[in-house]
Amino acid sequence: MRHADEGLLHAWLDGALLGEEADTVRQHLSMCANCRTRLEEAARLRDQADAILAGAAPAELPRPPFAEVVAQAQALALEAHLPAPRLRLGQGGRSISWRTLGWAASILIAVGAGWWGHGLLRQPQRLAVREDGLTAQEKARAAQNHLLLRLETSPAVEPPELSAPAGLAAPG
Amino acid sequence: MSTDWGTVYRTSFGDLVRFLYRKVWDADRAQDLAQDAFVRALASSEDEPASPRAWLFSIASNLARDEARAAIRRRRHLTLLKDEADFPARDDPAEELEARERRDAVRRALDALGERDREALLLWDAGLDYTEIAKQTGLSIGSVGTTLARARKRLVEAHVALEVQHASRG
């Protein structure tokens, strides 16, 4: 019988397995007590590592306003004489001429970054970086906790042989 | 699809600072580098990236590496002074000492990892997914899990060893 190697178990814990790969591993874990034990050990290891890293967090500093970052980017683009697609924003999405950019940058330097919140820079289509409010790690933990709860009540049945999922190392 | 860089900035800046802090071990410098990364990304004339966050972390990683090389070239030996400035003032000196020792232990434990293992672990901790980590580190997606497993194990082992060493000193 092939079992899940450490890499596969950690990929499972991290929510990195999808579709058929995830189904295969889930089915194997539901029937293999040995791999379930190793999965729990891997989860403990992951949690220990997370806790260690959390012990080295930077001092909380205020985030600079985005307008200030935009102003610096405009200045950098002008200095390098580069066309900057990300700064080609304006009414109706038309490109802004270099003269306008130069004028705008001068005004900004003179009066500060606060002007940029008022229509000069139009935000493009919003990108839902976190559509459901959960990070990748939070989703993975929720999926793992749900699985562990289900596995605890699974009947003892001979597990299917675990073949190497596409793109992952074959279990040893 | 155009990227909403304002949203990326708001949701990723903190993660980027934390990622950079584990490289330069200076909160102010990490913040500066994070801002630099966004400035460079916005000013860049490259095509819109498929993964803005991953691209940002790539820029930030390069900035941190350049910073480290420049520091070595200048032969700066300001570690002690930087440590003094990096921690917020605490009322309890014992608490401050403990926080500093905790941070130093994490730093030494991370130093025990191979460079790619450390990078993969820090990128995962910063919120990147396996695809983004693979692109940033040059690993295959299928190897990221194995790399993280090894990195976590090595980090925990190194940290435990340091704690034992610290405890044995009394």
Side-chain angles (χ1 to χ4, degrees), chain A residues 32-66:
Chain A
C32 178
N34 181 39
C35 282
R36 282 204 301 278
T37 299
R38 291 172 54 236
L39 178 69
E40 288 172 7
E41 289 169 4
R44 272 195 293 276
L45 186 70
R46 180 201 58 188
D47 291 345
Q48 281 180 288
D50 286 350
I52 289 168
L53 287 176
E60 199 73 30
L61 296 171
R63 184 181 64 218
F66 182 59

PDB file of all heavy atoms in Angstrom, chain A residues 32-66:
ATOM      1  N   CYS A  32      -7.025   5.220   6.229  1.00  0.00           N
ATOM      2  CA  CYS A  32      -5.692   4.817   6.668  1.00  0.00           C
ATOM      3  C   CYS A  32      -5.353   5.492   7.983  1.00  0.00           C
ATOM      4  O   CYS A  32      -5.051   6.692   8.022  1.00  0.00           O
ATOM      5  CB  CYS A  32      -4.658   5.166   5.601  1.00  0.00           C
ATOM      6  SG  CYS A  32      -2.966   4.769   6.070  1.00  0.00           S
ATOM      7  N   ALA A  33      -5.412   4.729   9.063  1.00  0.00           N
ATOM      8  CA  ALA A  33      -5.152   5.283  10.393  1.00  0.00           C
ATOM      9  C   ALA A  33      -3.720   5.785  10.508  1.00  0.00           C
ATOM     10  O   ALA A  33      -3.450   6.797  11.172  1.00  0.00           O
ATOM     11  CB  ALA A  33      -5.442   4.234  11.451  1.00  0.00           C
ATOM     12  N   ASN A  34      -2.795   5.081   9.863  1.00  0.00           N
ATOM     13  CA  ASN A  34      -1.386   5.463   9.927  1.00  0.00           C
ATOM     14  C   ASN A  34      -1.181   6.858   9.341  1.00  0.00           C
ATOM     15  O   ASN A  34      -0.526   7.727   9.944  1.00  0.00           O
ATOM     16  CB  ASN A  34      -0.553   4.431   9.167  1.00  0.00           C
ATOM     17  CG  ASN A  34       0.928   4.755   9.222  1.00  0.00           C
ATOM     18  OD1 ASN A  34       1.439   5.191  10.247  1.00  0.00           O
ATOM     19  ND2 ASN A  34       1.610   4.563   8.115  1.00  0.00           N
ATOM     20  N   CYS A  35      -1.771   7.089   8.166  1.00  0.00           N
ATOM     21  CA  CYS A  35      -1.620   8.402   7.533  1.00  0.00           C
ATOM     22  C   CYS A  35      -2.368   9.475   8.312  1.00  0.00           C
ATOM     23  O   CYS A  35      -1.929  10.635   8.344  1.00  0.00           O
ATOM     24  CB  CYS A  35      -2.098   8.346   6.081  1.00  0.00           C
ATOM     25  SG  CYS A  35      -0.892   7.580   4.971  1.00  0.00           S
ATOM     26  N   ARG A  36      -3.455   9.110   8.948  1.00  0.00           N
ATOM     27  CA  ARG A  36      -4.170  10.095   9.765  1.00  0.00           C
ATOM     28  C   ARG A  36      -3.302  10.530  10.942  1.00  0.00           C
ATOM     29  O   ARG A  36      -3.238  11.706  11.290  1.00  0.00           O
ATOM     30  CB  ARG A  36      -5.496   9.515  10.279  1.00  0.00           C
ATOM     31  CG  ARG A  36      -6.596   9.494   9.238  1.00  0.00           C
ATOM     32  CD  ARG A  36      -7.954   9.486   9.917  1.00  0.00           C
ATOM     33  NE  ARG A  36      -8.145   8.333  10.794  1.00  0.00           N
ATOM     34  CZ  ARG A  36      -8.521   7.128  10.359  1.00  0.00           C
ATOM     35  NH1 ARG A  36      -8.690   6.921   9.064  1.00  0.00           N
ATOM     36  NH2 ARG A  36      -8.698   6.138  11.207  1.00  0.00           N
ATOM     37  N   THR A  37      -2.615   9.580  11.536  1.00  0.00           N
ATOM     38  CA  THR A  37      -1.708   9.894  12.655  1.00  0.00           C
ATOM     39  C   THR A  37      -0.598  10.816  12.174  1.00  0.00           C
ATOM     40  O   THR A  37      -0.265  11.806  12.838  1.00  0.00           O
ATOM     41  CB  THR A  37      -1.097   8.613  13.231  1.00  0.00           C
ATOM     42  OG1 THR A  37      -2.147   7.778  13.726  1.00  0.00           O
ATOM     43  CG2 THR A  37      -0.141   8.943  14.368  1.00  0.00           C
ATOM     44  N   ARG A  38      -0.052  10.498  11.014  1.00  0.00           N
ATOM     45  CA  ARG A  38       1.031  11.327  10.460  1.00  0.00           C
ATOM     46  C   ARG A  38       0.513  12.709  10.077  1.00  0.00           C
ATOM     47  O   ARG A  38       1.219  13.718  10.181  1.00  0.00           O
ATOM     48  CB  ARG A  38       1.664  10.613   9.279  1.00  0.00           C
ATOM     49  CG  ARG A  38       2.451   9.376   9.733  1.00  0.00           C
ATOM     50  CD  ARG A  38       2.941   8.540   8.592  1.00  0.00           C
ATOM     51  NE  ARG A  38       3.709   9.325   7.657  1.00  0.00           N
ATOM     52  CZ  ARG A  38       3.437   9.422   6.363  1.00  0.00           C
ATOM     53  NH1 ARG A  38       2.412   8.786   5.847  1.00  0.00           N
ATOM     54  NH2 ARG A  38       4.187  10.165   5.580  1.00  0.00           N
ATOM     55  N   LEU A  39      -0.739  12.765   9.654  1.00  0.00           N
ATOM     56  CA  LEU A  39      -1.348  14.057   9.310  1.00  0.00           C
ATOM     57  C   LEU A  39      -1.456  14.932  10.559  1.00  0.00           C
ATOM     58  O   LEU A  39      -1.162  16.129  10.528  1.00  0.00           O
ATOM     59  CB  LEU A  39      -2.728  13.844   8.693  1.00  0.00           C
ATOM     60  CG  LEU A  39      -3.483  15.129   8.323  1.00  0.00           C
ATOM     61  CD1 LEU A  39      -2.805  15.837   7.155  1.00  0.00           C
ATOM     62  CD2 LEU A  39      -4.938  14.820   7.966  1.00  0.00           C
ATOM     63  N   GLU A  40      -1.843  14.311  11.660  1.00  0.00           N
ATOM     64  CA  GLU A  40      -1.959  15.066  12.906  1.00  0.00           C
ATOM     65  C   GLU A  40      -0.600  15.562  13.370  1.00  0.00           C
ATOM     66  O   GLU A  40      -0.465  16.671  13.878  1.00  0.00           O
ATOM     67  CB  GLU A  40      -2.615  14.193  13.979  1.00  0.00           C
ATOM     68  CG  GLU A  40      -4.110  13.973  13.716  1.00  0.00           C
ATOM     69  CD  GLU A  40      -4.720  12.958  14.667  1.00  0.00           C
ATOM     70  OE1 GLU A  40      -4.033  12.522  15.618  1.00  0.00           O
ATOM     71  OE2 GLU A  40      -5.896  12.595  14.455  1.00  0.00           O
ATOM     72  N   GLU A  41       0.425  14.726  13.188  1.00  0.00           N
ATOM     73  CA  GLU A  41       1.789  15.146  13.549  1.00  0.00           C
ATOM     74  C   GLU A  41       2.243  16.307  12.668  1.00  0.00           C
ATOM     75  O   GLU A  41       2.855  17.261  13.147  1.00  0.00           O
ATOM     76  CB  GLU A  41       2.770  13.973  13.390  1.00  0.00           C
ATOM     77  CG  GLU A  41       2.577  12.895  14.444  1.00  0.00           C
ATOM     78  CD  GLU A  41       3.352  11.626  14.117  1.00  0.00           C
ATOM     79  OE1 GLU A  41       4.096  11.611  13.119  1.00  0.00           O
ATOM     80  OE2 GLU A  41       3.186  10.641  14.858  1.00  0.00           O
ATOM     81  N   ALA A  42       1.898  16.220  11.378  1.00  0.00           N
ATOM     82  CA  ALA A  42       2.268  17.293  10.453  1.00  0.00           C
ATOM     83  C   ALA A  42       1.554  18.588  10.833  1.00  0.00           C
ATOM     84  O   ALA A  42       2.133  19.678  10.755  1.00  0.00           O
ATOM     85  CB  ALA A  42       1.915  16.894   9.013  1.00  0.00           C
ATOM     86  N   ALA A  43       0.312  18.462  11.273  1.00  0.00           N
ATOM     87  CA  ALA A  43      -0.449  19.642  11.680  1.00  0.00           C
ATOM     88  C   ALA A  43       0.179  20.283  12.913  1.00  0.00           C
ATOM     89  O   ALA A  43       0.267  21.511  13.015  1.00  0.00           O
ATOM     90  CB  ALA A  43      -1.900  19.258  11.961  1.00  0.00           C
ATOM     91  N   ARG A  44       0.621  19.451  13.846  1.00  0.00           N
ATOM     92  CA  ARG A  44       1.283  19.981  15.049  1.00  0.00           C
ATOM     93  C   ARG A  44       2.579  20.696  14.669  1.00  0.00           C
ATOM     94  O   ARG A  44       2.872  21.778  15.187  1.00  0.00           O
ATOM     95  CB  ARG A  44       1.574  18.847  16.033  1.00  0.00           C
ATOM     96  CG  ARG A  44       0.452  18.548  16.994  1.00  0.00           C
ATOM     97  CD  ARG A  44       0.935  17.684  18.146  1.00  0.00           C
ATOM     98  NE  ARG A  44       1.318  16.353  17.698  1.00  0.00           N
ATOM     99  CZ  ARG A  44       0.443  15.353  17.534  1.00  0.00           C
ATOM    100  NH1 ARG A  44      -0.829  15.521  17.775  1.00  0.00           N
ATOM    101  NH2 ARG A  44       0.876  14.178  17.116  1.00  0.00           N
ATOM    102  N   LEU A  45       3.325  20.098  13.759  1.00  0.00           N
ATOM    103  CA  LEU A  45       4.578  20.702  13.304  1.00  0.00           C
ATOM    104  C   LEU A  45       4.313  22.050  12.658  1.00  0.00           C
ATOM    105  O   LEU A  45       5.004  23.038  12.918  1.00  0.00           O
ATOM    106  CB  LEU A  45       5.266  19.756  12.321  1.00  0.00           C
ATOM    107  CG  LEU A  45       6.656  20.164  11.851  1.00  0.00           C
ATOM    108  CD1 LEU A  45       7.651  20.041  12.999  1.00  0.00           C
ATOM    109  CD2 LEU A  45       7.102  19.284  10.690  1.00  0.00           C
ATOM    110  N   ARG A  46       3.285  22.088  11.806  1.00  0.00           N
ATOM    111  CA  ARG A  46       2.934  23.334  11.127  1.00  0.00           C
ATOM    112  C   ARG A  46       2.549  24.398  12.147  1.00  0.00           C
ATOM    113  O   ARG A  46       2.971  25.549  12.062  1.00  0.00           O
ATOM    114  CB  ARG A  46       1.781  23.099  10.159  1.00  0.00           C
ATOM    115  CG  ARG A  46       1.353  24.354   9.395  1.00  0.00           C
ATOM    116  CD  ARG A  46      -0.043  24.206   8.879  1.00  0.00           C
ATOM    117  NE  ARG A  46      -0.970  23.959   9.979  1.00  0.00           N
ATOM    118  CZ  ARG A  46      -2.243  23.641   9.827  1.00  0.00           C
ATOM    119  NH1 ARG A  46      -2.742  23.522   8.622  1.00  0.00           N
ATOM    120  NH2 ARG A  46      -3.021  23.419  10.862  1.00  0.00           N
ATOM    121  N   ASP A  47       1.758  24.014  13.133  1.00  0.00           N
ATOM    122  CA  ASP A  47       1.320  24.969  14.146  1.00  0.00           C
ATOM    123  C   ASP A  47       2.501  25.473  14.984  1.00  0.00           C
ATOM    124  O   ASP A  47       2.563  26.646  15.348  1.00  0.00           O
ATOM    125  CB  ASP A  47       0.268  24.332  15.068  1.00  0.00           C
ATOM    126  CG  ASP A  47      -1.049  24.069  14.336  1.00  0.00           C
ATOM    127  OD1 ASP A  47      -1.231  24.638  13.236  1.00  0.00           O
ATOM    128  OD2 ASP A  47      -1.866  23.298  14.858  1.00  0.00           O
ATOM    129  N   GLN A  48       3.438  24.575  15.276  1.00  0.00           N
ATOM    130  CA  GLN A  48       4.628  24.986  16.028  1.00  0.00           C
ATOM    131  C   GLN A  48       5.442  25.996  15.225  1.00  0.00           C
ATOM    132  O   GLN A  48       5.915  27.006  15.758  1.00  0.00           O
ATOM    133  CB  GLN A  48       5.514  23.772  16.330  1.00  0.00           C
ATOM    134  CG  GLN A  48       5.047  22.930  17.493  1.00  0.00           C
ATOM    135  CD  GLN A  48       5.972  21.746  17.720  1.00  0.00           C
ATOM    136  OE1 GLN A  48       6.002  20.792  16.952  1.00  0.00           O
ATOM    137  NE2 GLN A  48       6.758  21.806  18.773  1.00  0.00           N
ATOM    138  N   ALA A  49       5.605  25.722  13.936  1.00  0.00           N
ATOM    139  CA  ALA A  49       6.365  26.633  13.076  1.00  0.00           C
ATOM    140  C   ALA A  49       5.681  27.994  13.001  1.00  0.00           C
ATOM    141  O   ALA A  49       6.338  29.038  13.072  1.00  0.00           O
ATOM    142  CB  ALA A  49       6.526  26.035  11.678  1.00  0.00           C
ATOM    143  N   ASP A  50       4.364  27.982  12.874  1.00  0.00           N
ATOM    144  CA  ASP A  50       3.611  29.239  12.818  1.00  0.00           C
ATOM    145  C   ASP A  50       3.807  30.041  14.102  1.00  0.00           C
ATOM    146  O   ASP A  50       3.978  31.261  14.079  1.00  0.00           O
ATOM    147  CB  ASP A  50       2.112  28.954  12.628  1.00  0.00           C
ATOM    148  CG  ASP A  50       1.791  28.494  11.215  1.00  0.00           C
ATOM    149  OD1 ASP A  50       2.693  28.585  10.340  1.00  0.00           O
ATOM    150  OD2 ASP A  50       0.652  28.033  10.982  1.00  0.00           O
ATOM    151  N   ALA A  51       3.767  29.339  15.238  1.00  0.00           N
ATOM    152  CA  ALA A  51       3.915  30.017  16.527  1.00  0.00           C
ATOM    153  C   ALA A  51       5.315  30.605  16.673  1.00  0.00           C
ATOM    154  O   ALA A  51       5.489  31.707  17.209  1.00  0.00           O
ATOM    155  CB  ALA A  51       3.647  29.028  17.666  1.00  0.00           C
ATOM    156  N   ILE A  52       6.317  29.880  16.193  1.00  0.00           N
ATOM    157  CA  ILE A  52       7.701  30.386  16.263  1.00  0.00           C
ATOM    158  C   ILE A  52       7.835  31.656  15.440  1.00  0.00           C
ATOM    159  O   ILE A  52       8.376  32.668  15.909  1.00  0.00           O
ATOM    160  CB  ILE A  52       8.689  29.310  15.775  1.00  0.00           C
ATOM    161  CG1 ILE A  52       8.767  28.179  16.793  1.00  0.00           C
ATOM    162  CG2 ILE A  52      10.074  29.912  15.535  1.00  0.00           C
ATOM    163  CD1 ILE A  52       9.486  26.938  16.289  1.00  0.00           C
ATOM    164  N   LEU A  53       7.303  31.637  14.226  1.00  0.00           N
ATOM    165  CA  LEU A  53       7.411  32.817  13.363  1.00  0.00           C
ATOM    166  C   LEU A  53       6.641  33.995  13.943  1.00  0.00           C
ATOM    167  O   LEU A  53       7.054  35.151  13.816  1.00  0.00           O
ATOM    168  CB  LEU A  53       6.887  32.490  11.962  1.00  0.00           C
ATOM    169  CG  LEU A  53       7.798  31.603  11.111  1.00  0.00           C
ATOM    170  CD1 LEU A  53       7.133  31.258   9.791  1.00  0.00           C
ATOM    171  CD2 LEU A  53       9.136  32.289  10.860  1.00  0.00           C
ATOM    172  N   ALA A  54       5.523  33.693  14.602  1.00  0.00           N
ATOM    173  CA  ALA A  54       4.731  34.762  15.201  1.00  0.00           C
ATOM    174  C   ALA A  54       5.504  35.463  16.310  1.00  0.00           C
ATOM    175  O   ALA A  54       5.190  36.611  16.657  1.00  0.00           O
ATOM    176  CB  ALA A  54       3.417  34.192  15.755  1.00  0.00           C
ATOM    177  N   GLY A  55       6.527  34.787  16.840  1.00  0.00           N
ATOM    178  CA  GLY A  55       7.342  35.384  17.891  1.00  0.00           C
ATOM    179  C   GLY A  55       8.298  36.449  17.375  1.00  0.00           C
ATOM    180  O   GLY A  55       8.974  37.117  18.155  1.00  0.00           O
ATOM    181  N   ALA A  56       8.357  36.609  16.057  1.00  0.00           N
ATOM    182  CA  ALA A  56       9.231  37.622  15.461  1.00  0.00           C
ATOM    183  C   ALA A  56       8.407  38.484  14.532  1.00  0.00           C
ATOM    184  O   ALA A  56       8.516  38.399  13.312  1.00  0.00           O
ATOM    185  CB  ALA A  56      10.362  36.956  14.691  1.00  0.00           C
ATOM    186  N   ALA A  57       7.560  39.296  15.119  1.00  0.00           N
ATOM    187  CA  ALA A  57       6.730  40.210  14.336  1.00  0.00           C
ATOM    188  C   ALA A  57       7.286  41.621  14.499  1.00  0.00           C
ATOM    189  O   ALA A  57       7.764  41.977  15.574  1.00  0.00           O
ATOM    190  CB  ALA A  57       5.281  40.157  14.815  1.00  0.00           C
ATOM    191  N   PRO A  58       7.227  42.416  13.445  1.00  0.00           N
ATOM    192  CA  PRO A  58       7.762  43.776  13.534  1.00  0.00           C
ATOM    193  C   PRO A  58       6.879  44.668  14.393  1.00  0.00           C
ATOM    194  O   PRO A  58       5.695  44.398  14.567  1.00  0.00           O
ATOM    195  CB  PRO A  58       7.761  44.244  12.080  1.00  0.00           C
ATOM    196  CG  PRO A  58       6.685  43.458  11.428  1.00  0.00           C
ATOM    197  CD  PRO A  58       6.675  42.120  12.104  1.00  0.00           C
ATOM    198  N   ALA A  59       7.466  45.721  14.922  1.00  0.00           N
ATOM    199  CA  ALA A  59       6.694  46.709  15.661  1.00  0.00           C
ATOM    200  C   ALA A  59       5.672  47.324  14.719  1.00  0.00           C
ATOM    201  O   ALA A  59       5.938  47.528  13.533  1.00  0.00           O
ATOM    202  CB  ALA A  59       7.633  47.784  16.208  1.00  0.00           C
ATOM    203  N   GLU A  60       4.485  47.560  15.253  1.00  0.00           N
ATOM    204  CA  GLU A  60       3.403  48.104  14.423  1.00  0.00           C
ATOM    205  C   GLU A  60       3.706  49.555  14.051  1.00  0.00           C
ATOM    206  O   GLU A  60       3.886  50.403  14.919  1.00  0.00           O
ATOM    207  CB  GLU A  60       2.098  48.027  15.227  1.00  0.00           C
ATOM    208  CG  GLU A  60       0.860  48.107  14.392  1.00  0.00           C
ATOM    209  CD  GLU A  60       0.593  46.842  13.585  1.00  0.00           C
ATOM    210  OE1 GLU A  60       0.979  45.754  14.046  1.00  0.00           O
ATOM    211  OE2 GLU A  60       0.027  46.970  12.495  1.00  0.00           O
ATOM    212  N   LEU A  61       3.754  49.821  12.750  1.00  0.00           N
ATOM    213  CA  LEU A  61       3.983  51.188  12.280  1.00  0.00           C
ATOM    214  C   LEU A  61       2.830  51.598  11.379  1.00  0.00           C
ATOM    215  O   LEU A  61       2.263  50.760  10.676  1.00  0.00           O
ATOM    216  CB  LEU A  61       5.305  51.257  11.489  1.00  0.00           C
ATOM    217  CG  LEU A  61       6.585  50.963  12.280  1.00  0.00           C
ATOM    218  CD1 LEU A  61       7.772  50.838  11.336  1.00  0.00           C
ATOM    219  CD2 LEU A  61       6.827  52.061  13.306  1.00  0.00           C
ATOM    220  N   PRO A  62       2.456  52.865  11.373  1.00  0.00           N
ATOM    221  CA  PRO A  62       1.340  53.292  10.513  1.00  0.00           C
ATOM    222  C   PRO A  62       1.683  53.140   9.036  1.00  0.00           C
ATOM    223  O   PRO A  62       2.804  53.416   8.615  1.00  0.00           O
ATOM    224  CB  PRO A  62       1.147  54.765  10.894  1.00  0.00           C
ATOM    225  CG  PRO A  62       2.428  55.188  11.526  1.00  0.00           C
ATOM    226  CD  PRO A  62       3.025  53.985  12.156  1.00  0.00           C
ATOM    227  N   ARG A  63       0.716  52.662   8.271  1.00  0.00           N
ATOM    228  CA  ARG A  63       0.916  52.478   6.841  1.00  0.00           C
ATOM    229  C   ARG A  63       0.828  53.831   6.151  1.00  0.00           C
ATOM    230  O   ARG A  63      -0.123  54.572   6.362  1.00  0.00           O
ATOM    231  CB  ARG A  63      -0.169  51.539   6.302  1.00  0.00           C
ATOM    232  CG  ARG A  63      -0.012  51.178   4.834  1.00  0.00           C
ATOM    233  CD  ARG A  63      -1.151  50.261   4.389  1.00  0.00           C
ATOM    234  NE  ARG A  63      -2.436  50.933   4.476  1.00  0.00           N
ATOM    235  CZ  ARG A  63      -3.560  50.335   4.875  1.00  0.00           C
ATOM    236  NH1 ARG A  63      -3.546  49.078   5.225  1.00  0.00           N
ATOM    237  NH2 ARG A  63      -4.697  51.007   4.931  1.00  0.00           N
ATOM    238  N   PRO A  64       1.816  54.136   5.283  1.00  0.00           N
ATOM    239  CA  PRO A  64       1.745  55.418   4.559  1.00  0.00           C
ATOM    240  C   PRO A  64       0.513  55.456   3.658  1.00  0.00           C
ATOM    241  O   PRO A  64       0.083  54.428   3.153  1.00  0.00           O
ATOM    242  CB  PRO A  64       3.035  55.408   3.714  1.00  0.00           C
ATOM    243  CG  PRO A  64       3.921  54.397   4.357  1.00  0.00           C
ATOM    244  CD  PRO A  64       3.021  53.368   4.956  1.00  0.00           C
ATOM    245  N   PRO A  65      -0.053  56.633   3.435  1.00  0.00           N
ATOM    246  CA  PRO A  65      -1.226  56.736   2.553  1.00  0.00           C
ATOM    247  C   PRO A  65      -0.883  56.264   1.149  1.00  0.00           C
ATOM    248  O   PRO A  65       0.223  56.500   0.652  1.00  0.00           O
ATOM    249  CB  PRO A  65      -1.553  58.233   2.558  1.00  0.00           C
ATOM    250  CG  PRO A  65      -0.831  58.794   3.733  1.00  0.00           C
ATOM    251  CD  PRO A  65       0.357  57.928   3.969  1.00  0.00           C
ATOM    252  N   PHE A  66      -1.813  55.608   0.490  1.00  0.00           N
ATOM    253  CA  PHE A  66      -1.583  55.113  -0.861  1.00  0.00           C
ATOM    254  C   PHE A  66      -1.268  56.262  -1.806  1.00  0.00           C
ATOM    255  O   PHE A  66      -0.472  56.123  -2.733  1.00  0.00           O
ATOM    256  CB  PHE A  66      -2.815  54.344  -1.342  1.00  0.00           C
ATOM    257  CG  PHE A  66      -2.654  53.740  -2.709  1.00  0.00           C
ATOM    258  CD1 PHE A  66      -1.638  52.837  -2.971  1.00  0.00           C
ATOM    259  CD2 PHE A  66      -3.516  54.080  -3.742  1.00  0.00           C
ATOM    260  CE1 PHE A  66      -1.479  52.272  -4.237  1.00  0.00           C
ATOM    261  CE2 PHE A  66      -3.370  53.525  -5.004  1.00  0.00           C
ATOM    262  CZ  PHE A  66      -2.352  52.622  -5.248  1.00  0.00           C
TER     263      PHE A  66
END
